[in-house]
Amino acid sequence: SAVISQKPSRDICQRGTSLTIQCQVDSQVTMMFWYRQQPGQSLTLIATANQGSEATYESGFVIDKFPISRPNLTFSTLTVSNMSPEDSSIYLCSVEDRAPGELFFGEGSRLTVL
Amino acid sequence: GENVEQHPSTLSVQEGDSAVIKCTYSDSASNYFPWYKQELGKRPQLIIDIRSNVGEKKDQRIAVTLNKTAKHFSLHITETQPEDSAVYFCAAMEGDTGRRALTFGSGTRLQVQP
């Protein structure tokens, strides 16, 4: 499986600030996916990031709140902007491992917003 | 879009018993159905999957069945062990392969009692 490094692994943030999460993959991948997992909940897709094009956002998620960069085939960032306590979640980067749909997840970034 | 429902939300079994988790999906065009296991504080990990061209797949103690007509699929774990205790998520991938988004169920917390 791919090796995914996510930073930071956890952080405590103040309301109104922004935080950028980095995702580095050890191989070139076409699609990278950003998921959110709120405490005790399931996984919800935020957006799909393709290199060289704008990210595709899911319903309920907007670029102003969750800007995404995808500068090359091994790296992506997700920024959580103007954070509120409701943004306290685990944010997970994922890539397709060997076949369409087979997602491999990073360790996640646990954000707590005070 | 796709909607995935998962039951039960919690399941407690005795070690050695079998466990069954069921999911239904709404989009008849969905063609890929993975199952993920998430241990406490860990990333979700793919444990088994099935594509719409087969009805059943087995890997040692775990198996998945798919009924396309009824739009439901199930995870079966036999001879459960304490290390099977975790949260299990089903998911479905929409038939539009260009998008390749996974929609997850709400999760089942499985507790295997020694």
Side-chain angles (χ1 to χ4, degrees):
Chain A
S1 296
V3 176
I4 302 177
S5 300
Q6 246 188 269
K7 295 179 182 179
S9 58
R10 59 177 64 231
D11 207 339
I12 299 174
C13 308
Q14 296 300 315
R15 183 195 298 260
T17 63
S18 298
L19 183 80
T20 296
I21 301 166
Q22 299 179 3
C23 179
Q24 178 75 53
V25 188
D26 69 340
S27 58
Q28 294 184 338
V29 293
T30 304
M31 303 174 88
M32 296 178 76
F33 305 87
W34 286 98
Y35 280 83
R36 181 175 75 179
Q37 188 173 28
Q38 295 178 302
Q41 302 297 311
S42 184
L43 295 94
T44 302
L45 181 64
I46 297 171
T48 302
N50 293 329
Q51 193 268 336
S53 63
E54 292 283 333
T56 302
Y57 288 84
E58 298 299 302
S59 175
F61 297 96
V62 295
I63 188 171
D64 289 347
K65 176 68 175 176
F66 297 101
I68 287 172
S69 78
R70 183 77 201 275
N72 57 52
L73 291 173
T74 64
F75 187 78
S76 179
T77 67
L78 169 75
T79 299
V80 186
S81 302
N82 188 25
M83 287 184 284
S84 67
E86 293 70 37
D87 294 320
S88 297
S89 292
I90 300 172
Y91 293 85
L92 294 141
C93 167
S94 65
V95 301
E96 288 186 325
D97 198 11
R98 288 165 296 209
E102 288 187 22
L103 292 189
F104 183 78
F105 287 89
E107 295 281 3
S109 299
R110 181 184 295 271
L111 301 189
T112 301
V113 185
L114 304 177
Chain B
E2 178 64 275
N3 181 49
V4 178
E5 295 192 357
Q6 184 172 346
H7 300 281
S9 57
T10 61
L11 180 60
S12 182
V13 299
Q14 291 295 125
E15 183 176 358
D17 288 350
S18 295
V20 180
I21 304 170
K22 299 181 180 181
C23 289
T24 60
Y25 61 98
S26 61
D27 186 352
S28 57
S30 289
N31 56 14
Y32 175 65
F33 308 92
W35 286 88
Y36 285 82
K37 175 183 180 182
Q38 187 175 31
E39 297 177 353
L40 188 63
K42 302 283 185 65
R43 77 183 93 189
Q45 291 194 302
L46 178 67
I47 56 171
I48 196 168
D49 57 9
I50 192 167
R51 297 193 184 266
S52 58
N53 56 343
V54 297
E56 183 174 358
K57 183 176 179 181
K58 188 174 182 180
D59 183 5
Q60 298 183 341
R61 295 187 297 108
I62 59 174
V64 57
T65 59
L66 171 65
N67 183 326
K68 288 179 59 180
T69 302
K71 291 191 285 188
H72 69 70
F73 56 111
S74 301
L75 177 71
H76 304 253
I77 306 174
T78 58
E79 300 173 25
T80 54
Q81 301 168 3
E83 51 264 40
D84 294 328
S85 296
V87 179
Y88 291 80
F89 294 99
C90 63
M93 184 173 76
E94 298 177 20
D96 177 1
T97 56
R99 183 164 176 265
R100 301 221 283 265
L102 284 183
T103 300
F104 284 82
S106 54
T108 296
R109 183 174 300 277
L110 173 65
Q111 182 70 44
V112 181
Q113 306 288 347

